Amino acid sequence: MRIYFLILAFFIFFSGCSFKNSSLDSADLINAKIIKSSKREFDKISKDAVLEAIKKSFALSNKTKQFQINSYRNYILVQRINFDYLIFASNVKVENWLFELEQKDNKTYVTLSIFDENKFDDKIKRYYSSNYHELIWNRIEHLLGLDNKWINCKGYICSVFSSNKPLDKDYIKDVLISQRKAKLQAILNTKIEEKKKKIQEEILKEYEAYLDFEEKEQEKKKQDPQSIKIKEEFDDLLLLKDKKSLKKDKQVDKIDTKLEKINTN
């Protein structure tokens, strides 16, 4: 009898999980328009600003760190692992949001594909409905300041995306291509000035070293060859031994003799 109830509880639990996912398919995927991709054109908006808005739209909903955001210069791949529970088995799927970007002719072009694939067979793909696309595009455009409305999620999407509106600090600044170019030019100018200053300092040091060398050469020319020779020998002796070793080797007398010669000259 106890075994019977355990088997019954087992079937109720997993059939409930299966029903939850099947209702998701019918409500959000089958009855809606399934699309492989959607596109947007952002006039005068920079690619970097759109990239920032895409990452921010997912980061705002990333309360449980459920998204893995892989960002590159021309595309972003956002992934989320999803578990489908069946009656006698479970399946691991990876949900994908792929954004491909291109900036040309003072516009940024973006293509979005949303699909999930089997963790163990990435050839099996299932594309999502248009309402997923519309939600993402709305949030990106809202963060860029292009759409005043903030669409709230419905149904299953709420378990993925938060409905909380962004704060003032979350909105993207300097979204225009011209603004980004001006900012980059300002950064470039600063780096150029720093480089110029560094080069000037290096040239000045070299010039000072050259002047110092020339001054020493001029001093040498003012002296007669015999005095220069005596001083060079004296300098060699100082470099080779200290005063104690000079006394020990009886070299002090030799130095005194040379000093007398220098003074007489």
Side-chain angles (χ1 to χ4, degrees):
M1 192 70 176
R2 181 178 298 177
I3 295 174
Y4 171 78
F5 281 113
L6 287 173
I7 295 173
L8 181 61
F10 177 86
F11 274 101
I12 291 173
F13 174 78
F14 283 99
S15 62
C17 294
S18 177
F19 174 78
K20 180 179 179 180
N21 283 280
S22 63
S23 64
L24 163 63
D25 293 345
S26 61
D28 289 334
L29 300 177
I30 296 175
N31 295 334
K33 182 182 179 183
I34 305 298
I35 56 176
K36 286 190 174 182
S37 65
S38 59
K39 298 182 179 182
R40 287 290 190 278
E41 293 181 11
F42 297 94
D43 188 29
K44 300 179 181 179
I45 305 297
S46 74
K47 181 178 69 176
D48 290 336
V50 178
L51 283 167
E52 191 176 348
I54 292 171
K55 289 185 283 187
K56 184 61 70 69
S57 64
F58 284 90
L60 289 172
S61 297
N62 203 10
K63 294 180 179 180
T64 58
K65 301 185 182 300
Q66 57 186 340
F67 295 116
Q68 179 181 344
I69 302 175
N70 306 287
S71 180
Y72 304 91
R73 284 298 303 157
N74 296 315
Y75 72 93
I76 288 182
L77 177 61
V78 183
Q79 294 182 310
R80 173 178 177 267
I81 296 177
N82 186 25
F83 295 93
D84 279 349
Y85 295 100
L86 305 176
I87 295 177
F88 292 107
S90 63
N91 189 23
V92 181
K93 292 184 178 180
V94 180
E95 294 179 295
N96 298 271
W97 291 263
L98 176 62
F99 298 85
E100 299 171 280
L101 301 92
E102 181 183 15
Q103 181 179 308
K104 66 177 182 179
D105 302 329
N106 212 35
K107 292 183 179 180
T108 296
Y109 300 86
V110 187
T111 301
L112 168 61
S113 300
I114 308 176
F115 58 92
D116 65 30
E117 56 190 1
N118 192 295
K119 180 69 175 177
F120 307 105
D121 188 357
D122 56 8
K123 294 181 180 180
I124 302 175
K125 292 184 179 180
R126 182 185 65 171
Y127 290 92
Y128 282 29
S129 59
S130 59
N131 57 337
Y132 281 78
H133 290 252
E134 292 302 321
L135 178 69
I136 294 297
W137 288 126
N138 167 258
R139 301 201 165 185
I140 293 170
E141 292 169 355
H142 185 79
L143 290 168
L144 290 170
L146 304 176
D147 192 340
N148 293 329
K149 296 181 180 179
W150 176 266
I151 298 178
N152 292 325
C153 63
K154 294 180 180 180
Y156 169 73
I157 305 179
C158 291
S159 65
V160 182
F161 296 98
S162 169
S163 292
N164 296 328
K165 289 186 177 181
L167 303 174
D168 290 340
K169 64 181 181 65
D170 296 322
Y171 292 95
I172 311 303
K173 306 295 189 298
D174 301 327
V175 301
L176 298 179
I177 293 174
S178 58
Q179 291 173 323
R180 295 278 169 148
K181 284 184 177 179
K183 183 180 287 187
L184 289 174
Q185 189 62 50
I187 294 172
L188 180 61
N189 291 340
T190 301
K191 289 185 177 181
I192 290 173
E193 290 302 319
E194 290 175 354
K195 188 68 175 178
K196 283 182 179 179
K197 186 177 180 181
K198 186 176 181 180
I199 292 173
Q200 289 174 352
E201 290 174 352
E202 291 175 353
I203 292 174
L204 183 60
K205 287 180 181 179
E206 291 178 1
Y207 184 63
E208 289 176 347
Y210 171 75
L211 290 178
D212 186 48
F213 173 77
E214 284 293 310
E215 186 178 346
K216 290 180 180 179
E217 289 296 312
Q218 291 296 328
E219 289 294 326
K220 284 184 178 181
K221 289 179 181 178
K222 292 179 181 179
Q223 302 176 25
D224 62 275
Q226 184 64 23
S227 297
I228 294 172
K229 183 178 180 182
I230 293 171
K231 285 186 177 182
E232 287 177 349
E233 290 177 357
F234 178 69
D235 290 339
D236 290 340
L237 286 172
L238 290 179
L239 290 173
L240 290 173
K241 298 180 179 181
D242 58 19
K243 191 173 182 180
K244 290 182 179 180
S245 63
L246 286 172
K247 285 182 179 180
K248 184 177 179 181
D249 297 333
K250 298 181 180 180
Q251 296 291 336
V252 175
D253 293 338
K254 186 177 181 181
I255 293 174
D256 293 336
T257 303
K258 291 185 180 293
L259 288 173
E260 288 177 2
K261 289 183 180 180
I262 293 172
N263 293 329
T264 56
N265 292 329

